[in-house]
Amino acid sequence: MLAQLFIDAAKSCEGSSPLTEALLLEAAADLRAGGVTTRVMAGHERDRKGTMPALRFASALHRLVLEGRAPGLAKHYPTVGGSPHLPTLWDAVLPVLHEHADELRARIGASVVQTNEPGRSAPLFGGLQVAAHAAAEAAGRSTPFPVRLLEIGASAGLNLHPDRIAYRLGADEVVGDPASPFGLDPRWTGRPSADLTRPLRIVEREGCDLNPVDVSTEDGRLALSSFVWADQLDRWERLRSALELAALHPAPVRRTTGPHWLAERLADRAPDVLTVVWHSVVWQYVSPADRAEGRAILADAVARATPGAPLALLVYEPRRTHTGYEFHLLLKTWPAGVSLRLGSGSGHGIPFTWEQQEWL
Ligand SMILES: C[S@@+](CC[C@H](N)C(=O)[O-])C[C@H]1O[C@@H](n2cnc3c(N)ncnc32)[C@H](O)[C@@H]1O
């Protein structure tokens, strides 16, 4: 059962992380043979698939590597300058499992899978620009609205800074903040239907999360870093830049459920500001009761939205299609009644295709 969860997780890495795929397949075989992985995973034999025990195993090992405590294994980990040699990987893993079995077991038991993907800031940036322009047009304003950004399931809050990133759209074309230490190549096909040379003004930003990660601490930074698959260096570099930006501009992420927090935040009226409720790759984790409550709170705020104090919902979530899952960027604004599918892209937000159409 547990070995099968490792095999399923290995399949999800196929083509994108050969290192994690090989690690998890070897660990599955070791579990079936009653090897040391059985001791490391003791107590997790009946973990639910959704809690991703295999990814917590990979992350706990990665963390030891990042802490410099597994030098033999580090040789295979690109995040610390190594180069994977898959035929000898498991030989390097085994001594680490034997030496740190108790600590690994404790960490796997204490952790939840936590990723905060800064690549999603690129569709967020474009979506906010469209929202700020559309709400201004509906209100008869000549300039886009400034934005109040409220993020549900913000994790470490790394996507609360979409205005502070330099988006490199072409050789000589940079939008966002060209002076930012965080440069992103968003790999866009098409463009958002808004003038991106106009600055996006975010006047207030705040998130909430059930399990926020505090990246002002070494522990928090290690926790997020350890969940990046160690041979995905583009994501690794993105995370490093996003952590640097977050250190310059700490943004609050409250420890609470989405509906509770949203009710408090949406109770305030924000004149001359567009309030945007944003979430990405969160909805699948929210309980049915919280979803229903969240919808009711939003409906109440929608009823109170005015042209001078408009409201928007912007989401980047997976949607089931006849061929599998696609990530869609959806926008609704009130009271204007705008309802758009702005485009779709990869789960990490990069690459992304802008293809605006009515969202019915
Ligand atoms: C896959 S992560 C995505 C994080 C971030 N939105 C991003 O795109 O990088 C999902 C996040 O949702 C949070 N979460 C799950 N259920 C929640 C709820 N009911 N209220 C608030 N946050 C929740 C988790 O703690 C986790 O940080």
Side-chain angles (χ1 to χ4, degrees), residues 114-117 120 151 153 155 209-210 257-258 280-281 285 290:
Q114 255 300 8
T115 49
N116 193 187
E117 175 48 64
R120 295 179 191 134
E151 180 174 12
S155 184
D209 200 284
L210 275 182
T257 63
S280 60
V281 199
Y285 302 104
D290 276 355

Side-chain angles (χ1 to χ4, degrees), residues 20-39:
T20 314
E21 182 188 3
L23 171 71
L24 298 183
L25 287 177
E26 294 278 12
D30 195 51
L31 278 170
R32 287 202 164 135
V36 63
T37 313
T38 316
R39 189 145 69 88

